[in-house]
Amino acid sequence: MYEPKKSDHFTFGLWTVGNIGRDPFGDPVRSPFSPEHIVENLSRLGAYGVNLHDNDLVPFDASLAQQDRIVKSFKSALEDHDMKVPMATTNLFTHPVFKEGAFTSNDPDVREFALKKTLRAIDLGAELGAGIYVFWGGREGAEVDASKQLPDGYKYFRDALNFLCSYVNDQGYDMKFALEAKPNEPRGHLFLPTTGAMLGFIATLDQPDMVGVNPEVAHETMAGLNFPHAVAQAIDAQKLFHVDLNDQEMNRFDQDFRFGSVQLKSNFFLVKLLEDIEYDGMRHFDAHAYRTEQEMGVWEFARGCMRTYLILREKVDKFNDDTEIQGMLSELQTESVNWDRIAAGYSSDKATELKAKNFDIDAMAERDFMYEKLDQLTVEIILGIR
Ligand code: GCO
Ligand code: MN
Ligand code: MN
């Protein structure tokens, strides 16, 4: 029952199970896996596909001939194991050239180079069949605010995205962009730090329809925000193009823990959001195994991410089928003809009527919403006793 299937659309980044456990204080603890080894093992575990940065597959300084050989071997592994590449992205953060930013660097040569690298990586993504292209601006930010006219950071980023949207159309690629926010790390401050900030920024682009968001559990949580609320706003704006699932303690460094390892209740509501709207995108895990693990622990980690998602999905079904809970919800979420009339749009008559209307404010203020009971029932669903 909790065995992942291809139809569950679980994906992992090559960089996630491929994480070798390097951190700012310590050397790697695991040997690297080849992309083919990752494809084979994730497929065995029931994943639908793998996602990648250009340099997870093709080294930064590879020649075009080397790239061809690498991509050929990777594609045949995908085919052998019935695995897809639904999402691709560009590494614009590892190489020292990006230390001051990529699309938002003060140095126009760096901005051009970042664009060139992304054009090529988009070609690679298209060749592998990726329909979503992610932009996570790992180096787009600042420690020294004196260094930039801050609004220029936003303008440069917009210039790059406008250029790239047109490129995708020009090439006829079937591809959309998803912007991923993060508050900080590796820069002291990152531009566009939250999913809400990304949504505001998208409205300023030339082709906003092509661009949505890729919210990540860990990133909103690092900022002390409520992740399901960020996802709900993206859904409301019809901009949830992708999602990065992992876990994280609040207000800490980016931990990228196994999905469901920290905030079970919040993750329950996240899964509920995705399942209730029948989200048809990928359930992508952007996390990695603890630094204590060797290879066995890495595959346990991958299995655990998917298994916990499926368990929470079952709990969501239980919640949605629970007659007591549903009875409470239907009392709470009452229909109202009066409200529908207001929501249908403004008229001066409606405003005049409303200003004259009498309300039984005492009765309204005395209402008991019964949220203590509702929340306890939810907790009992999650704990498995309902
Ligand atoms: C991070 C980010 C990245 C991105 C990835 C894809 O905090 O390191 O979450 O893992 O998701 O670069 O754009
Ligand atoms: Mn992250
Ligand atoms: Mn991510």
Side-chain angles (χ1 to χ4, degrees):
M1 188 165 178
Y2 308 124
E3 281 303 305
K5 293 188 282 298
K6 298 271 174 195
S7 56
D8 295 319
H9 289 161
F10 291 129
T11 59
F12 289 82
L14 284 183
W15 70 93
T16 63
V17 286
N19 181 289
I20 53 179
R22 181 189 286 119
D23 74 15
F25 303 93
D27 290 338
V29 294
R30 296 185 281 268
S31 331
F33 301 149
S34 72
E36 291 79 3
H37 184 70
I38 292 176
V39 165
E40 179 184 342
N41 280 280
L42 286 176
S43 177
R44 173 176 62 79
L45 294 171
Y48 175 81
V50 287
N51 301 322
L52 50 91
H53 302 85
D54 48 355
N55 302 139
D56 297 339
L57 185 64
V58 183
F60 185 88
D61 46 13
S63 67
L64 287 176
Q66 283 167 327
Q67 166 157 343
D68 280 350
R69 270 198 301 280
I70 293 168
V71 171
K72 203 164 157 222
S73 152
F74 181 62
K75 274 176 151 177
S76 74
L78 291 170
E79 212 166 287
D80 290 349
H81 301 285
D82 187 21
M83 289 281 276
K84 305 276 185 281
V85 178
M87 178 273 257
T89 182
T90 330
N91 183 326
L92 295 173
F93 42 89
T94 299
H95 195 284
V97 70
F98 300 125
K99 65 189 175 193
E100 205 270 323
F103 296 137
T104 65
S105 170
N106 269 336
D107 184 339
D109 287 344
V110 173
R111 298 202 294 275
E112 270 194 78
F113 176 67
L115 208 47
K116 166 190 167 163
K117 192 172 191 291
T118 307
L119 290 167
R120 293 215 171 157
I122 285 178
D123 292 342
L124 173 65
E127 181 181 353
L128 295 170
I132 296 288
Y133 203 87
V134 164
F135 290 82
W136 169 63
R139 297 282 171 195
E140 315 294 11
E143 292 80 30
V144 179
D145 283 348
S147 65
K148 277 191 170 72
Q149 290 296 339
L150 290 175
D152 283 349
Y154 296 82
K155 183 187 176 306
Y156 294 151
F157 193 33
R158 178 183 311 112
D159 292 343
L161 284 173
N162 285 340
F163 193 90
L164 293 166
C165 281
S166 295
Y167 178 71
V168 164
N169 289 333
D170 193 22
Q171 297 299 116
Y173 294 151
D174 183 13
M175 188 181 269
K176 287 187 164 191
F177 292 171
L179 311 186
E180 177 177 342
K182 186 173 181 180
N184 56 275
E185 212 187 314
R187 299 305 299 271
H189 303 273
L190 288 174
F191 293 137
L192 297 160
T194 62
T195 298
M198 285 297 182
L199 288 167
F201 176 71
I202 289 169
T204 72
L205 298 175
D206 285 350
Q207 300 182 66
D209 290 351
M210 274 182 72
V211 187
V213 291
N214 177 35
E216 172 170 319
V217 178
H219 296 177
E220 307 293 323
T221 310
M222 285 169 73
L225 300 175
N226 177 314
F227 188 65
H229 287 210
V231 171
Q233 191 191 355
I235 290 171
D236 178 63
Q238 301 185 328
K239 289 293 184 194
L240 186 68
F241 288 8
H242 200 261
V243 65
D244 276 9
L245 304 172
N246 54 16
D247 220 339
Q248 170 80 29
E249 300 282 355
M250 237 179 216
N251 303 326
R252 303 266 168 110
F253 69 95
D254 189 23
Q255 295 172 314
D256 291 334
F257 287 148
R258 189 183 73 256
F259 179 66
S261 58
V262 183
Q263 322 174 79
L264 278 179
K265 194 174 180 186
S266 161
N267 288 324
F268 166 82
F269 283 110
L270 169 61
V271 173
K272 184 169 181 325
L273 270 177
L274 299 178
E275 297 302 321
D276 284 353
I277 62 154
E278 297 179 22
Y279 166 71
D280 64 1
M282 295 297 129
R283 275 86 175 151
H284 170 66
F285 297 104
D286 185 11
H288 51 76
Y290 302 128
R291 196 162 173 270
T292 47
E293 305 308 287
Q294 289 298 299
E295 174 158 9
M296 256 184 359
V298 170
W299 304 125
E300 277 303 319
F301 147 84
R303 214 170 77 89
C305 286
M306 297 186 280
R307 192 172 159 81
T308 300
Y309 188 99
L310 294 174
I311 295 169
L312 289 176
R313 191 170 76 183
E314 190 205 17
K315 303 294 177 203
V316 168
D317 286 345
K318 286 216 153 70
F319 180 98
N320 289 340
D321 292 344
D322 190 296
T323 43
E324 192 173 2
I325 291 176
Q326 292 310 313
M328 291 184 78
L329 290 180
S330 59
E331 268 178 46
L332 283 168
Q333 296 156 10
T334 35
E335 302 282 314
S336 151
V337 183
N338 291 339
W339 182 259
D340 289 348
R341 222 177 127 246
I342 288 173
Y346 176 82
S347 77
S348 57
D349 283 353
K350 288 183 203 172
T352 310
E353 261 172 55
L354 195 52
K355 285 203 280 185
K357 184 167 172 171
N358 289 317
F359 290 89
D360 185 352
I361 291 177
D362 289 340
M364 286 156 71
E366 274 168 19
R367 178 168 176 190
D368 189 336
F369 283 90
M370 304 292 285
Y371 287 173
E372 283 294 350
K373 182 167 181 194
L374 180 62
D375 190 61
Q376 180 65 24
L377 293 176
T378 308
V379 167
E380 293 189 11
I381 294 255
I382 297 170
L383 292 178
I385 66 149
R386 268 183 90 79

